[in-house]
């Protein structure tokens, strides 16, 4: 059966903020009728094994395990023989790998049931007779109701004319979205672990074709439908686990921080999972990794690499004292901090370094993509270091080269500085020594308030227009006629005289506080300057700037606010006033300068022409430049 699709254009990444991505407390829906079934390769001790045992170089190979009696089990995959492959979802019931060498391969699934252990061997052969011209990345498991993304990797130096998807097995997915070479859909509710199978057929401009099968396991999940995450539209992967299996906090991490059973008002106290700063003022990398929860072990590996190798590493060890846990997962999008658990939740897209690691991630567009799309202006932003983008490079999905550590550091640092500013706003360093172990993070916050509240009282942002526009751009409020008529020049007149570090600072006092710290510490520690630009959306193909500024954080009008935030978050930095005075001064962009030609402000022209960029890079730079910070989502808590 051929499936009809809804086609949409390229969506812009959206601003952070908002109050959840689904209606609260969606009720269980009946499982859609099955479109068909496929037979397992074999059954061993009640475990059905699905997959393919013959492939060619470059073709993705996947295997799925399902208990025919719907009993729960855990699994650990290992490779026994054949050229070495990266099994990056080794604790998942579904794995996918992409062999680059021909040969005979043998995998072993070590299965643990409540009352027994068993091992299942699975072999497959990879031929070098021809390379796969197009493959679907990647066979994987997903929690029911969770978002699914599939990507077609085009290995040929040919232009794809069309991609067609055919569902072969599993409950009928009626709403599918194609976006370029991606397929997106929402997993259905199921009553038992259920296999979806799709066939992808690609046609090239020269008339040649390619095809591939992909397996997606929909995992039956026991939700608390009034719980903390379910009621906010989060359907947590069942593959979450403590990165360090011997962590003394393993049980608390796995039960208190990120799962589908956490109640609406969390009950875990600081006795169950204390703030790191209440246990040690000098945490080591291992102390931090003992508090790290991941969906894939490679995420913890990269986190370790970052903490050990980054110039910002010691800052992060100190700032992480203000959290109970660090969550890194493929289904966290966007990153956020939540006072209900005291944990930070990080989008694993910031951590990948290899193509195979990137394949395990979810590419679902942010649900806030269209917020404020009817406004006449855009506010671009970026980090710049040594008169170049920071991160330096962009990485189109079909480019399967590695990401550099330099760019990894850039991607992670500003995000973590921001999220940890939130953490140390809610649980500041001066609170750690007298924190009652019997209280919960949420109860502590409600009883004590935050420093961002004080900032808002003492140094409030004054532009009511910018506050209202932020509600549109980041919170999804409908724009009024007046707001739709604001020009870029109007917005410049609202923003420039005020004392905000960014447009996003107007969304909430929490984001204002965290952005002040983030912009300061990125410039102080990493020499990364933040650029802002206000641009007209209409008749502006060259992206000419109505107003722009570099190093706004150094402007004297922001000094008192910046010093307040930095001293509260990170008192160990010392004399913040002196540090601020030593930062580079703000620099204005010339009116009408093309945004993409303002990297080197000290030169009249840097020879950079946006229109000379490759198309993929051009698109990605444009997406990066919008003021979409990928953090700060506001989640609801029920009383």
């Amino acid at each position: 059966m051929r499936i009809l699709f809804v086609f949409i254009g390229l969506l812009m990444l959206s601003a952070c903020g908002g109050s959840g991505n689904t209606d609260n407390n969606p009720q269980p829906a009946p499982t859609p009728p099955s479109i068909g079934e496929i037979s397992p390769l074999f059954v061993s001790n009640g475990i059905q094994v699905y997959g393919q045992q013959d492939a060619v170089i470059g073709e993705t190979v996947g295997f799925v395990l399902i208990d025919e009696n719907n009993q729960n089990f855990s699994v650990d995959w290992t490779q026994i023989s054949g050229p070495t492959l990266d099994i990056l979802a080794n604790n998942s019931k579904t794995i996918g790998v992409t062999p680059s060498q021909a040969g005979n391969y043998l995998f072993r699934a070590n299965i643990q049931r409540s009352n027994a252990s068993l091992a299942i061997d699975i072999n497959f052969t990879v031929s070098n007779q021809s390379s796969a011209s197009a493959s679907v990345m990647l066979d994987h498991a997903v929690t029911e109701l969770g978002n699914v993304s599939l990507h077609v990797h085009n290995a040929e130096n040919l232009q794809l004319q069309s991609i067609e998807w055919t569902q072969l097995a599993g409950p009928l997915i009626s709403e599918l979205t194609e976006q370029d070479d991606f397929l997106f859909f929402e997993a259905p509710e199921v009553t038992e672990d259920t296999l979806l199978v799709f066939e992808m057929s690609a046609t090239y401009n020269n008339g040649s074709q390619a095809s591939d099968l992909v397996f997606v396991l929909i995992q039956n999940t026991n939700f608390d439908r009034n719980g903390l995450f379910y009621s906010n539209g989060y359907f947590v992967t069942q593959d979450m686990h403590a990165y360090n299996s011997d962590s003394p906090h393993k049980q608390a991490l796995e039960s208190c921080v990120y799962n589908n059973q956490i109640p609406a008002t969390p009950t875990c106290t600081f006795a169950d999972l204390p703030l790191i700063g209440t246990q040690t003022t000098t945490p080591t990398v291992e102390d931090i990794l003992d508090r790290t929860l991941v969906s894939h072990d490679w995420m913890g590996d990269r986190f370790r690499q970052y903490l050990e190798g980054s110039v910002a590493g010691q800052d992060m060890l100190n700032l992480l004292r203000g959290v109970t846990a660090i969550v890194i997962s493929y289904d966290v999008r966007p990153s956020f901090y939540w006072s209900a658990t005291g944990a930070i939740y990080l989008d694993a897209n910031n951590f990948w370094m290899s193509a195979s690691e990137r394949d395990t991630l979810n590419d679902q567009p942010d649900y806030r993509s269209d917020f404020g799309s009817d406004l006449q202006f855009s506010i671009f932003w970026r980090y710049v270091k040594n008169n170049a983008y920071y991160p330096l490079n962009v990485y189109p999905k079909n480019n399967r080269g590695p990401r550099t550590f330099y760019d990894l550091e850039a991607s992670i640092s500003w995000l973590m500085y921001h999220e940890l500013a939130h953490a140390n706003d809610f649980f500041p360093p001066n609170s750690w020594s007298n924190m009652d172990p019997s209280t919960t993070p949420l109860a502590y916050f409600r009883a004590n308030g935050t420093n961002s509240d004080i900032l808002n009282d003492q140094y409030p942002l004054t532009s009511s227009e910018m506050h209202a526009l932020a509600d549109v751009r980041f919170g999804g409020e409908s724009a009024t006629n007046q707001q739709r008529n604001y020009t870029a020049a109007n917005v410049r007149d609202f923003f420039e005289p005020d004392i905000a570090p960014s447009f996003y600072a107007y969304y909430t006092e929490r984001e204002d506080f965290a952005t002040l710290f983030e912009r300061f510490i990125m410039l102080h520690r990493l020499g990364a300057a933040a650029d802002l630009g206000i641009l007209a959306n209409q008749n502006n193909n060259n992206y000419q700037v109505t107003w722009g500024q570099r190093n706004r954080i150094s402007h004297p009008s922001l000094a008192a606010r910046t010093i307040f935030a930095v001293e509260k978050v990170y008192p160990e930095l010392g004399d913040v006033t002196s540090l601020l005075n030593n930062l580079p001064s703000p620099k204005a962009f010339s009116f009408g300068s093309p945004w993409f030609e303002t990297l080197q402000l000290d030169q009249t022209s840097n020879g950079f022409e946006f229109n000379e960029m490759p198309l993929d890079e051009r698109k990605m730079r444009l997406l990066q430049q919008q003021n979409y910070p990928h953090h700060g989502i506001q989640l609801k808590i029920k009383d």
Side-chain angles (χ1 to χ4, degrees), residues 182-235:
F182 290 93
L183 179 70
F184 303 114
F185 62 90
E186 182 183 285
E189 292 200 59
V190 294
T191 57
E192 60 185 14
D193 286 0
T194 303
L195 182 62
L196 297 177
V197 183
F198 287 90
E199 181 182 36
M200 180 279 302
S201 299
T203 301
Y204 294 96
N205 281 357
N206 67 357
S208 62
Q209 294 184 323
S211 64
D212 192 21
L213 292 179
V214 62
F215 301 90
V216 178
L217 175 66
I218 309 301
Q219 294 187 282
N220 182 35
T221 305
N222 184 20
F223 293 112
D224 179 347
R225 294 185 182 269
N226 292 305
L228 191 67
F229 286 100
Y230 188 94
S231 61
N232 279 281
Y234 273 73
F235 314 109

Side-chain angles (χ1 to χ4, degrees), residues 140-143 237 295-296 299 328-332 348 360-362:
H140 63 282
V142 64
T143 296
T237 174
S295 61
H296 298 72
M299 299 168 188
I328 312 174
S329 177
Y330 81 90
D331 62 356
V332 171
T360 66
L361 302 177
N362 191 302

Side-chain angles (χ1 to χ4, degrees), residues 41-45 47 49 53 63 65 76-81 105-111 118-124:
L41 295 173
F42 61 89
V43 180
S44 176
N45 291 292
I47 300 294
V49 179
Q53 293 183 292
F63 295 103
L65 306 178
D76 180 36
W77 294 88
T78 58
Q79 182 176 353
I80 304 302
S81 63
Y105 294 78
L106 178 63
F107 285 177
R108 177 166 295 158
N110 298 292
I111 292 172
L118 64 139
I120 297 177
D121 287 350
I122 306 171
N123 59 71
F124 63 97

